[in-house]
Amino acid sequence: MFKTKWGVIKPKNLNEVLRNGNIFPQMWIQQQLCHNPSTVTDSATEASPSSWDQAKSFKNIPSMGPLKLLLQFFPGGKYANLDTSQLVLAIKRDMGPICRLSGLFGKPGMIMTHNPNDFKTILRNEGIWPERPNLEGLHYYRTVHRKDFLEGVEGLLASQGENWGTFRSTVNPIIMQPKNSKLYIQRMSAVNKEFMERIREIRSPVNEEVPHTFEQEINHWTLETICLVILDKKLNLINGQGVNPMADQLLKSLNDAISYSLDVERKPSLWVYYKTPTFNKLMKTFDTVTDIVMGYVEEVVKRLEEDRQKNIPEKSEDDKSIIEKLIKTDKKIAVIMTMDMLLAGLDTTTSMFTGLLLCLAKNPEKQQLLRQEVMQLLPQKDSEFDEKLFKNMPYLRACIKESLRLYPVSNGSTRHPNENVILSGYRVPKGVQVNMVFSSLLKDDSLYARAQEYLPERWLRSAKKDEELQKECPLHAFKGRSSFVYLPFGFGTRSCIGRRIAEMSVEMAVARLIRKFYVEFHYSTENAFKSLLFNVPNIPLKFQFSDVEK
């Protein structure tokens, strides 16, 4: 059981609470929508038997012996030097749409499936607290390395089971509160204007292209935006390095943490037996991030105390910032939640923004349609946003959805089913790690009509679609034949807690950018992203930004 503002929740009645949408209302709605029956067309996939006894044995799942698998990762092996995205496709070619991989050097064995019917089976049987692999290095850091300071507060990225459920139920009403947007719209708009001026400053006077280091500029904008929303603090990063050395250090440490975590999480777990140099660097990097975030949190605590001493009236709950609400709950929760949002949000928001720009730059007719929508809402280049505008941008949201289909920020999702399940006709015991790979399906013509094309219209309501597209294929084929393939922000109670913040950030920045500039990209987009912990840009982002006349 755990405490919430609705009272004490016991596992036996938690499902009823979730069904009523009391704890995770937005995610509950998503889950209900995804639970509608859907038909998946895949001639290569057998229908799963309804009976456990009829299903094929777990041992019969296509697999590769541990030694043979290991050898493929050594120099000369077929899996050597592949990133995660390339690796899962290579394994699919070798073993088929479902396979069983043996665990190596402390890593657990797993099932890897590319079958949407399997996704549906797993996600519909998640249990009270859906379990997926946490970040082992971060879990060690919070439960062992800094146990004295954090005192058992593990956060969202490092916890499982009831601990995860307790933390999520605590922070969910704070982070996902729709009223948060009104507190930050104008300040985020000011940051975006700074970003536009930065683009003008760094673009070439000859061809109007930005330097190949533009990804770093996007990272500055991303970190500035996240800290503005979560910490209620402006870092002044957009104007370049050196203005705020502590913010520069935070950005460097976050990037280092992702890099070191990739080694710790994806490679053999030697650090469990011997603290490797990379593992020690990761702990030191986490220390740096924790100390910096703690310093920012203490600034807010000090400001609130000074206001109290000056008899300044306390803000209403609706007017309090996210960090003020988190601190009121628990200062350690404020530090941990901020760290989690930074670790999970930096690369993903940057990649989301980059993928959308690439799609718009390579599809000028879609970019122009978006510009027409934006110009109706922002008649002047410096017109301001308000809450109402976010309700009138259907094409912008469709553009974002379609870019996330073509350039997903992750390759899939992982769960440990809490009961026995049948996947692709095979018995899979509860507790086995199941990797659901959806990235291989998002451009599959059997699941999406004209799957290789960038067509934001597929996400609009049918009344607003192009008539020719409507005639060409029915809605379910155009938008996708399965509700369980396109899940860019996850599913159910485990879905991304920062979704609305990321979406609002990208919506405002891209609307402002398209209002001010024509965006072009005169280079290949082949292998535009590489897969680390998340999919991140892999090519120089030398966009051309030309001024819109009016």
Side-chain angles (χ1 to χ4, degrees), residues 74 94 99 107 124 167 206 214 308 347 376 399 423 440 509:
F74 283 98
D94 289 345
C99 65
K107 295 295 182 184
R124 281 185 172 179
F167 192 92
V206 178
F214 187 57
R308 189 188 66 80
D347 281 349
Q376 292 178 357
C399 286
L423 303 180
S440 64

Side-chain angles (χ1 to χ4, degrees), residues 424-528:
S424 296
Y426 296 95
R427 304 171 193 161
V428 176
K430 66 178 182 180
V432 172
Q433 180 172 310
V434 178
N435 287 12
M436 299 169 284
V437 185
F438 55 68
S439 59
S440 64
L441 304 173
L442 292 171
K443 298 180 184 179
D444 189 330
D445 288 318
S446 71
L447 295 174
Y448 290 92
R450 297 167 61 177
Q452 306 303 314
E453 298 180 45
Y454 180 68
L455 296 173
E457 290 78 8
R458 77 174 76 242
W459 302 103
L460 297 176
R461 293 181 178 180
S462 57
K464 295 185 178 181
K465 292 186 190 298
D466 185 280
E467 290 185 5
E468 292 185 7
L469 295 177
Q470 284 286 30
K471 293 177 181 178
E472 181 177 335
C473 55
L475 176 61
H476 75 276
F478 191 59
K479 193 173 181 179
R481 297 180 184 271
S482 172
S483 301
F484 291 87
V485 172
Y486 180 83
L487 298 170
F489 294 97
F491 179 85
T493 57
R494 275 283 192 173
S495 62
C496 175
I497 194 171
R499 173 177 182 169
R500 188 63 199 119
I501 294 172
E503 287 179 329
M504 185 171 71
S505 301
V506 173
E507 286 167 2
M508 290 185 67
V510 171
R512 179 73 68 192
L513 189 147
I514 292 300
R515 182 64 185 84
K516 287 179 175 288
F517 302 110
Y518 298 105
V519 185
E520 299 178 48
F521 190 76
H522 302 294
Y523 305 92
S524 171
T525 56
E526 184 178 1
N527 297 321

Side-chain angles (χ1 to χ4, degrees), residues 142 149-150 152-156 166-172 174-175 230 293-294 297 322-323 325-341:
R142 290 177 176 173
F149 166 65
L150 299 174
V153 180
E154 299 175 19
L156 295 178
T166 302
F167 192 92
R168 179 83 190 222
S169 66
T170 299
V171 300
N172 207 73
I174 299 173
I175 302 297
I230 300 300
V293 170
M294 188 65 196
V297 171
I322 290 177
I323 191 62
K325 293 176 183 177
L326 289 172
I327 288 172
K328 183 178 180 180
T329 302
D330 186 293
K331 188 163 66 175
K332 290 188 288 295
I333 287 179
V335 173
I336 294 299
M337 191 64 238
T338 300
M339 283 184 64
D340 282 358
M341 294 290 283

